[in-house]
Amino acid sequence: MPTEPVSPPPQKPFLIEKKRTRFLGLTLDETIRAFFGGNAFTAVVVLALITIFLFREGSAFFGQNRESITLYRQAGLEYVDYMRTQQEEHTALTRYLFDIRLRAVKHMTEAPLGGAQKEKDAASKELWELEHNALASGPAVDPEKLASAKARVAAAEAASAKILADANAKLAAFDDFAGRYSDTIEPVRGLVSELTDVAVAIKEKYTINEDAKRERAQYLAAGMTAEADAVKITEVDFKAELAPLVGITPIYVETANGVAAAIKEVASTPPTLPVPALEERMKRFQALNAQYLASFPETQRKLETWDYQKPVPAIDTFTGFIFGKQWLTASFWQDWYGVVPLFVGSLMVSVIALFLAVPLGVGAAIYINQFASAKEQKLVKPAIEFISAIPSVVLGFFGIAVLGQALRALSQVEALSWIPGFPFSERLNALTAGCLLALIAVPTIFTLAEDALNNVPRSFKEASFALGASRMQTILRIIVPASLSGIVSAVLLGLGRVIGETMVVLLCAGNRIAIPDFTEGFAAFVQPVHTMTGIIAQEMGEVERGGIHYRALFMVGLVLFFIALLINFLAQKIVRKYRVSIG
Amino acid sequence: METSSASSTPASRAFQVPSRATDGQKAQTLIEIENFDFYYGAKQALFDINLKLDDKRVTAFIGPSGCGKSTLLRCLNRMNDLIDGTSIKRGGIKIRGVDVNARDVDSIELRKRVGMVFQKSNPFPKSIYENVIYGLRIQGETNKAKLDAVVEKSLRGAALWDEVKDRLHESGLGLSGGQQQRLCIARTIAVSPEIILMDEPCSALDPIATAKVEELIHELKKEFTIIIVTHSMQQAARCSDKTAFFYMGKLIEYADTRTIFMNPGNPQTEAYVSGRFG
Amino acid sequence: MSTPANPFASKPSRSRSFEKVILGVFRTATYIILICGAAVFGDILLKGVPTVANAFKTTSTFPYVTNTFLFEAPESLYVFEHEGKTMEMGDKDYRAFREAEIAKAAAAGLPPPVFKSSSYVYSAGGIWPCIVGTVLLVVGSMTIALFLGVCSAIFLNEYAKDGPIVRFIRLAILNLAGVPSIVFGLFGFGLFVIYLDWNVSLLAGWFTLAFMVLPVVITASEESLKAVPKGFREGSLALGATKWQTIRKNVLPYALPGILTSSILGIARVAGETAPIMFTAAYVVRDKLPWDVEKASDFFFQGVMALPYHIYVVSSKIPQNEYTSRVQYGTAFVFLGIVALIATASIIFRNKLRSRYQW
């Protein structure tokens, strides 16, 4: 084929080439594009910066925590804590005994006391009516009647007092046993309290010395040599300081043996309980006690082999944070930074919130999407959007001002006492916070679930109808399963919203830093808790910048950040994995 | 493949046939497409296209849906640059000897010279007046008198002047479908391109509006080179000088419109124009 | 002649009543949500309105009437017994009153009266500085967020071709949307307050909040850009316009109303958040109003009072009783009112826009 066609008249040029102005090798349009592209990277940059700055502020936590744990060991606090644990376990057993006693009393007196109470109420009522009538109608009341009524009240009171006294008398043997058992630990208690003072003194010395070192370094940095020299530094000789502590081991072993013997002696003569139903618990106590005694040699071994110089492995600071069951700050003894109680708190309020919000949100989404008239839709959708606009701090305030009290009042209603945990006395607890968080999660779940339902192709629904299925069958068997991935991811995003919520839990969760007592079953849900978000908001303003506590809070933030990312990731994954099947 | 060899031979042969020059002059070649392969991602959309299009003539691209005729049209002013993943693997398009895909060719300058009218009329939500001068405005033209002149000339050129001269400052969206399409043509000729590409310009119009646009095409031919993609064979027969028939991304036959319709050289073309498939 | 039974007649059955029950359950769920929302609104409305409504007082200067709750700074409330009556006064009034009484007693030759008062912080006066602070925070952060967000959306929707980079950016945006607000607070504290040494300041708050709403703004902007028909872009490009000319003249003008409307929801979120500003921008109390600064640059580096933080302070740091609940409910009411207004505006504008732009 000829490359140049024959073209007799000269062609006019076709001007489509143009030199454009260039900045740094880019044309104007490319520059603009680069500018917008740069902006689009903000999201990436911010995400990176969040990670970097949380790490930057938080990562030093591990070093500082290691120092703190090392000091805990070097100053002998750890040593004392071995003994303290032994003492505290004993106290727990004593408490178990008291619990048995409480149950026994309740068991023995409940029925008769109830009768006595009824009698007393009836008598009081009679008396009150008589006196009331006397006031209303003058001295027309028979004084004899009045006297007999008074006597009846007194008799009823005496009867209930006697029931209690009888019960207590029956428990005298048990009380004697419990008292003797409780006393057995006294020698250890004395030892521990003595050693506590020694260890605290060592720690104090070290801390003062460290402060002095820092002061001197500051002077030196400022070039003030004279002042620097004036600062007195005396290194703590841990070995010497610890001598009295470690020297006590043999004495302790002796004491512990004595205690063990005493316990055995006491336990060998268990009292017979007046309530046979509680024998089971008594047996359990004996078993626990045996377990406790068996732990004695282990404690002794720990004490004998204890070495203040044993290095603290780096991993301990990490596991101590992630799995630590104590978040204890500003304590005279030893600060612990364990995220577990906070995590459990966050999880509990989230579980409550989702338990309430998922049925409500998904149910409402199905109703609005499948049943509601156009008018109802137009009303409900913006209303729910409106609810999502309520600021969380306002909800928190509502919880403090109204909901906390309302829930407590509700829990004290007789008819509801079958619900585990009811009645409760704490106004602010996991339940209060959970209810409010549900209101926060509902709009998220509703909106996203409704979207998911909307995305189900019409043809599915029509095909099902054409086969003679009813509306409900179609919805439950076709539409909901088809949009399930969307609904699940809606729930996950609702969870993300709830677990990251701060103000409501800060104001309404009760802020008690402890792992709830799950032995009480569902009643644990009405206990006050503290959360990861709440602790940051509460303590960040008060901590020393750069201190270990400050850094620990950043670590909590980091954990929160990663949890949020994980939830997001899962939500996306679920949507992507299962959406394909809808087609 | 047999069809490809069969297709290129009659096409090249057909190209040798002198065109039916309406004004009696011999047409010059304006656009040359050589060995052109085009891909959407990994999928090849055009196979080895060779085509020479005449200056100041109307060329129609016909063929069933998905045959690549619109794709080729959009390659002529590089609108395909805007679609992700498109690439030219071989060959090129030259307009008056200039390769439009060359490095130093500015696609914006190219589009000023090669206008385009779309399948669905797309007037901007501005006044009729602003719609027509849009192209000049973005080139920085501010002279009011000149703009007025261009508006009148373009609207007259698009046979719309009489219908809209009293309401130039009303929204272009208020016009009827056919008027909107002619407004788009007016907008295109306002920047005085040399070539106007029309991508099924009448597919959304009723027969009367279609007739008006076809009449307009006839008029425009005096000044512009027009390439029109159409589904309607009658339309191709009515208003084009030459016709190219595409099938499955290949150019099957290219010849005078009359030849294509009366005496097609390829059995596939014959089958298509006689309505047996497509 | 008996008519044959109609085979299509509706028959009562167990499954049918089951359906009714299920429908009832779904409907109940919907209305429980609405009732809960209404309960919160209603409670705060009922108890909050009197605080604002009872605070009107006349003044000697223009505009002759003012609302002490809305337009004054917070004060401590003093409650004391005087001549057998229980009186309540704000800090300034109380001092003046005490001076006057002592002077009166001295003039009459009597021993000075003893004032036994209990005081409640923030429970008198108003919340003007908080309103101002909130408005400043919202305006500043939304300006930043809109700029960054619209630019990002333009890139993603107009320029970017689908590829690993764009997918990465979208992933980042999606994840950013899920980051808890308190983490943004920590981040803002670490970056702006400490690292950049801006201290607790408006500027730190602006950026922290802006980054927090960025995903909302980007998503809203992208949706609005997507709603502009492709034909507008093609038509413009086919006339030889550059990409930027096309966007500026033929895309942005039609997308902007949508962008702004959808971003109002972002505004509601910015205004409602407490956690991100706790450590970055909010002061518990500040006497000066933000414009009382010595030099202009100080304006950006000052902390402000803010409504949400004030609610937190008054609901957690002071006891709940009859004297304090006025200001607690009043503040919550004003704040909720502002946020609700913003939300309503967004819903109304959106509906209007939907009916207006239909191409």
Side-chain angles (χ1 to χ4, degrees):
Chain A
M1 193 181 273
T3 47
E4 260 332 295
V6 212
S7 46
Q11 290 186 330
K12 62 176 176 179
F14 193 68
L15 293 169
I16 54 174
E17 288 159 9
K18 186 175 173 185
K19 288 276 174 281
R20 292 192 177 265
T21 337
R22 283 175 185 272
F23 317 92
L24 304 166
L26 298 173
T27 63
L28 180 62
D29 236 38
E30 283 165 335
T31 315
I32 292 168
R33 185 195 142 101
F35 167 76
F36 286 130
N39 275 297
F41 269 98
T42 330
V44 179
V45 170
V46 170
L47 212 55
L49 282 178
I50 291 177
T51 322
I52 290 169
F53 273 87
L54 290 184
F55 263 116
R56 181 176 176 268
E57 298 295 322
S59 57
F61 165 77
F62 295 117
Q64 289 179 347
N65 197 27
R66 195 172 173 190
E67 268 169 37
S68 157
I69 296 176
T70 309
L71 178 61
Y72 171 70
R73 179 165 285 170
Q74 285 179 338
L77 273 67
E78 184 183 39
Y79 180 84
V80 181
D81 265 349
Y82 287 147
M83 298 181 197
R84 197 193 302 276
T85 315
Q86 201 166 32
Q87 178 206 323
E88 275 165 4
E89 278 171 8
H90 186 273
T91 315
L93 283 171
T94 311
R95 221 177 295 135
Y96 193 84
L97 282 178
F98 283 130
D99 181 58
I100 293 180
R101 186 182 193 280
L102 220 67
R103 283 165 193 272
V105 170
K106 196 176 165 200
H107 203 260
M108 284 193 289
T109 60
E110 201 164 31
L113 261 188
Q117 186 68 37
K118 248 183 218 157
E119 166 63 17
K120 193 177 143 192
D121 287 348
S124 314
K125 199 176 166 214
E126 191 193 325
L127 182 62
W128 184 82
E129 269 168 12
L130 282 172
E131 281 174 341
H132 195 75
N133 285 346
L135 279 176
S137 57
V141 177
D142 187 356
E144 224 166 87
K145 241 183 187 172
L146 201 67
S148 86
K150 272 183 183 157
R152 194 176 157 202
V153 171
E157 266 166 12
S160 52
K162 186 164 179 302
I163 292 166
L164 279 177
D166 280 356
N168 281 333
K170 272 187 203 159
L171 282 169
F174 182 84
D175 286 348
D176 177 51
F177 170 75
R180 273 187 299 138
Y181 185 83
S182 152
D183 288 344
T184 49
I185 199 68
E186 278 314 317
V188 171
R189 200 186 296 271
L191 216 52
V192 167
S193 96
E194 240 171 71
L195 294 182
T196 299
D197 294 343
V198 177
V200 167
I202 301 175
K203 187 177 173 182
E204 189 85 344
K205 223 180 213 175
Y206 177 80
T207 318
I208 290 171
N209 198 37
E210 285 298 300
D211 286 347
K213 273 190 201 164
R214 212 166 297 135
E215 193 184 341
R216 182 155 148 183
Q218 276 168 7
Y219 277 135
L220 284 176
M224 298 154 85
T225 334
E227 282 88 342
D229 288 343
V231 177
K232 216 169 67 185
I233 291 173
T234 41
E235 284 295 342
V236 181
D237 180 0
F238 284 112
K239 194 169 173 137
E241 297 277 356
L242 284 171
L245 211 66
V246 183
I248 228 147
T249 314
I251 302 174
Y252 175 79
V253 170
E254 208 174 293
T255 320
N257 286 339
V259 169
I263 291 176
K264 261 182 213 152
E265 198 234 303
V266 172
S268 66
T269 54
T272 38
L273 274 172
V275 185
L278 289 171
E279 276 308 322
E280 200 57 36
R281 289 197 167 254
M282 209 49 209
K283 269 195 201 126
R284 172 95 182 119
F285 169 77
Q286 289 288 11
L288 286 174
N289 190 40
Q291 237 176 53
Y292 173 60
L293 283 175
S295 77
F296 271 48
E298 170 66 17
T299 310
Q300 275 176 26
R301 197 189 55 74
K302 267 190 195 159
L303 287 172
E304 275 158 2
T305 57
W306 182 75
D307 176 11
Y308 77 96
Q309 282 172 318
K310 202 175 139 206
V312 177
I315 191 77
D316 275 14
T317 62
F318 180 73
T319 52
F321 174 73
I322 295 290
F323 303 112
K325 292 198 179 76
Q326 268 187 311
W327 181 278
L328 194 67
T329 56
S331 123
F332 83 101
W333 183 247
Q334 171 70 13
D335 289 353
W336 295 107
Y337 301 95
V339 83
V340 172
L342 307 173
F343 179 75
V344 170
S346 281
L347 203 63
M348 261 177 58
V349 288
S350 307
V351 165
I352 298 171
L354 287 189
F355 179 76
L356 296 169
V358 169
L360 288 179
V362 175
I366 294 176
Y367 177 72
I368 290 300
N369 190 268
Q370 300 290 334
F371 295 106
S373 61
K375 218 174 177 184
E376 218 172 355
Q377 279 194 16
K378 250 189 193 152
L379 197 90
V380 173
K381 276 192 186 176
I384 289 183
E385 225 170 288
F386 226 78
I387 291 175
S388 80
I390 302 178
S392 61
V393 71
V394 171
L395 281 180
F397 166 68
F398 180 77
I400 284 191
V402 179
L403 188 71
Q405 254 137 6
L407 280 178
R408 184 167 60 183
L410 186 74
S411 83
Q412 280 153 358
V413 172
E414 196 77 30
L416 292 175
S417 60
W418 55 271
I419 299 176
F422 277 28
F424 53 83
S425 54
E426 293 284 350
R427 187 164 59 96
L428 302 178
N429 56 40
L431 182 69
T432 314
C435 288
L436 291 167
L437 286 177
L439 201 57
I440 288 180
V442 156
T444 309
I445 295 178
F446 170 82
T447 315
L448 294 172
E450 219 254 344
D451 272 357
L453 290 169
N454 238 344
N455 282 338
V456 177
R458 245 187 104 74
S459 54
F460 283 31
K461 196 173 167 183
E462 283 166 356
S464 172
F465 279 146
L467 291 170
S470 72
R471 197 144 74 143
M472 196 62 71
Q473 283 167 329
T474 307
I475 288 163
L476 295 182
R477 284 161 194 256
I478 303 291
I479 294 174
V480 171
S483 56
L484 200 61
S485 66
I487 293 176
V488 170
S489 87
V491 170
L492 273 175
L493 291 177
L495 172 67
R497 188 85 217 273
V498 163
I499 220 165
E501 176 49 53
T502 311
M503 299 319 289
V504 165
V505 292
L506 179 59
L507 288 169
C508 300
N511 297 356
R512 190 178 73 189
I513 312 173
I515 300 177
D517 187 1
F518 285 108
T519 55
E520 292 182 32
F522 284 111
F525 285 106
V526 292
Q527 289 173 3
V529 293
H530 214 320
T531 54
M532 292 190 287
T533 50
I535 201 109
I536 298 173
Q538 190 184 25
E539 296 186 342
M540 198 68 206
E542 297 156 9
V543 297
E544 173 208 354
R545 212 174 270 188
I548 179 171
H549 189 179
Y550 166 91
R551 306 227 180 267
L553 291 177
F554 268 93
M555 284 312 297
V556 175
L558 203 59
V559 170
L560 205 53
F561 179 59
F562 283 129
I563 289 176
L565 289 189
L566 181 73
I567 290 175
N568 233 317
F569 170 77
L570 287 179
Q572 286 163 37
K573 186 135 195 162
I574 287 171
V575 166
R576 215 169 303 148
K577 190 163 177 194
Y578 296 101
R579 176 160 290 172
V580 186
S581 65
I582 296 178
Chain B
M1 215 150 83
E2 212 195 320
T3 44
S4 84
S5 62
S7 72
S8 63
T9 329
S12 343
R13 225 185 322 111
F15 170 69
Q16 309 292 338
V17 178
S19 70
R20 183 185 62 123
T22 41
D23 48 5
Q25 280 180 5
K26 191 174 180 298
Q28 293 176 356
T29 299
L30 179 65
I31 303 172
E32 288 173 85
I33 303 167
E34 286 173 4
N35 308 328
F36 194 67
D37 283 357
F38 186 81
Y39 288 77
Y40 288 114
K43 188 177 163 280
Q44 187 163 5
L46 293 174
F47 297 82
D48 193 30
I49 306 291
N50 285 288
L51 200 57
K52 294 194 176 184
L53 305 175
D54 293 341
D55 197 6
K56 303 270 190 297
R57 293 287 186 275
V58 178
T59 310
F61 288 179
I62 61 169
S65 296
C67 67
K69 55 192 191 304
S70 281
T71 305
L72 182 61
L73 191 78
R74 292 169 67 93
C75 284
L76 293 178
N77 68 345
R78 286 177 55 182
M79 285 301 275
N80 281 334
D81 287 11
L82 307 171
I83 298 168
D84 286 356
T86 56
S87 56
I88 297 159
K89 292 269 165 75
R90 193 166 72 97
I93 297 168
K94 282 183 184 165
I95 300 179
R96 215 170 267 141
V98 183
D99 182 353
V100 298
N101 290 303
R103 272 186 61 85
D104 50 357
V105 166
D106 193 300
S107 60
I108 289 139
E109 293 300 316
L110 171 69
R111 291 187 199 125
K112 283 181 193 163
R113 313 301 303 273
V114 185
M116 187 163 194
V117 177
F118 296 86
Q119 180 171 5
K120 191 172 170 292
S121 64
N122 55 353
F124 305 137
K126 303 172 191 283
S127 68
I128 295 169
Y129 185 89
E130 284 295 326
N131 258 294
V132 176
I133 60 165
Y134 181 86
L136 292 176
R137 273 230 200 278
I138 56 174
Q139 287 172 31
E141 183 62 63
T142 50
N143 184 340
K144 179 90 168 81
K146 192 172 173 195
L147 290 175
D148 286 346
V150 168
V151 168
E152 181 169 350
K153 183 168 167 264
S154 309
L155 286 172
R156 279 189 195 285
L160 195 60
W161 176 251
D162 293 331
E163 291 163 59
V164 300
K165 66 183 175 206
D166 303 324
R167 45 175 176 147
L168 287 177
H169 295 282
E170 284 172 31
S171 169
L173 290 171
L175 298 175
S176 73
Q179 287 174 324
Q180 284 192 5
Q181 194 60 293
R182 277 179 285 146
L183 176 61
C184 292
I185 294 171
R187 190 175 70 185
T188 307
I189 60 183
V191 287
S192 45
E194 283 184 50
I195 303 167
I196 298 176
L197 309 175
M198 296 189 177
D199 191 355
E200 302 188 27
C202 303
S203 66
L205 302 183
D206 61 57
I208 296 170
T210 304
K212 279 200 171 158
V213 172
E214 282 176 8
E215 213 172 290
L216 178 60
I217 290 173
H218 219 75
E219 283 300 310
L220 291 173
K221 188 163 77 169
K222 290 173 190 152
E223 267 182 83
F224 306 97
T225 304
I226 293 169
I227 300 158
I228 178 168
V229 164
T230 177
H231 251 113
S232 151
M233 277 166 286
Q234 289 87 337
Q235 186 170 56
R238 278 196 298 268
C239 57
S240 69
D241 301 308
K242 281 194 169 184
T243 297
F245 171 61
F246 293 85
Y247 183 59
M248 306 264 287
K250 299 190 184 75
L251 176 64
I252 306 294
E253 188 163 356
Y254 174 52
D256 275 0
T257 300
R258 186 178 302 169
T259 318
I260 289 274
F261 283 95
M262 307 301 271
N263 187 17
N266 188 297
Q268 276 175 315
T269 316
E270 195 195 345
Y272 183 71
V273 297
S274 59
R276 267 180 276 149
F277 82 97
Chain C
M1 211 168 82
S2 67
T3 46
N6 180 359
F8 303 121
S10 166
K11 299 182 210 60
S13 69
R14 254 185 52 206
S15 69
R16 225 153 254 262
S17 41
F18 170 73
E19 275 200 13
K20 280 212 179 114
V21 170
I22 297 267
L23 175 60
V25 169
F26 287 153
R27 180 176 281 161
T28 317
T30 312
Y31 286 95
I32 285 178
I33 297 172
L34 297 188
I35 288 168
C36 289
V40 176
F41 267 101
D43 178 64
I44 287 169
L45 200 72
L46 276 180
K47 298 187 192 155
V49 165
T51 310
V52 180
N54 296 337
F56 283 102
K57 83 172 186 200
T58 50
T59 54
S60 51
T61 52
F62 186 76
Y64 304 111
V65 64
T66 183
N67 190 306
T68 53
F69 185 69
L70 293 178
F71 299 112
E72 280 184 10
E75 281 183 292
S76 291
L77 178 74
Y78 286 85
V79 180
F80 56 94
E81 300 268 332
H82 183 67
E83 292 169 357
K85 278 189 295 184
T86 307
M87 299 184 76
E88 297 167 27
M89 273 181 200
D91 192 26
K92 271 180 256 149
D93 291 347
Y94 173 63
R95 276 167 215 271
F97 181 76
R98 201 171 54 175
E99 302 274 304
E101 286 296 309
I102 291 172
K104 215 159 79 183
L110 293 169
V114 183
F115 286 87
K116 257 203 224 157
S117 64
S118 42
S119 69
Y120 303 97
V121 282
Y122 316 129
S123 300
I127 51 170
W128 177 234
C130 311
I131 298 176
V132 169
T134 297
V135 169
L136 281 178
L137 279 172
V138 168
V139 169
S141 55
M142 280 318 286
T143 311
I144 297 169
L146 273 176
F147 178 79
L148 290 174
V150 173
C151 289
S152 303
I154 288 178
F155 177 77
L156 290 174
N157 200 50
E158 305 292 326
Y159 284 99
K161 298 192 171 166
D162 194 35
I165 293 177
V166 171
R167 248 172 284 154
F168 184 61
I169 293 176
R170 286 189 194 282
L171 195 73
I173 293 169
L174 225 70
N175 280 314
L176 204 59
V179 174
S181 56
I182 187 83
V183 173
F184 274 104
L186 273 184
F187 154 70
F189 182 67
L191 174 60
F192 304 121
V193 178
I194 294 180
Y195 185 71
L196 297 178
D197 204 15
W198 291 351
N199 283 321
V200 173
S201 62
L202 263 182
L203 207 57
W206 282 348
F207 276 98
T208 309
L209 288 172
F211 287 154
M212 192 189 71
V213 285
L214 195 58
V216 178
V217 177
I218 293 178
T219 317
S221 308
E222 262 206 274
E223 257 164 40
S224 305
L225 286 171
K226 279 206 184 94
V228 177
K230 219 171 116 198
F232 289 13
R233 297 184 181 88
E234 287 190 332
S236 170
L237 287 168
L239 290 171
T242 64
K243 193 122 196 174
W244 172 234
Q245 283 170 331
T246 304
I247 293 167
R248 191 166 46 108
K249 295 230 160 144
N250 233 2
V251 177
L252 266 189
Y254 309 121
L256 217 51
I259 292 175
L260 292 178
T261 315
S262 328
S263 299
I264 295 179
L265 227 59
I267 294 181
R269 191 159 171 223
V270 164
E273 279 292 353
T274 319
I277 56 170
M278 278 176 109
F279 335 118
T280 55
Y283 278 163
V284 176
V285 66
R286 187 161 188 272
D287 292 331
K288 279 193 206 163
L289 282 169
W291 41 81
D292 288 341
V293 285
E294 283 171 21
K295 51 184 201 287
S297 66
D298 283 354
F299 179 78
F300 299 102
F301 294 103
Q302 60 175 342
V304 290
M305 292 181 77
L307 272 174
Y309 192 55
H310 194 64
I311 293 179
Y312 165 63
V313 171
V314 295
S315 56
S316 69
K317 302 276 151 90
I318 60 177
Q320 308 265 320
N321 60 35
E322 52 174 321
Y323 302 113
T324 59
S325 79
R326 269 189 315 228
V327 69
Q328 289 168 342
Y329 269 104
T331 315
F333 164 68
V334 171
F335 184 43
L336 192 60
I338 293 175
V339 173
L341 268 183
I342 297 172
T344 319
S346 110
I347 292 169
I348 292 173
F349 280 142
R350 197 179 48 201
N351 289 349
K352 265 210 178 130
L353 212 63
R354 267 186 200 152
S355 52
R356 185 150 62 112
Y357 282 108
Q358 272 171 354
W359 21 66

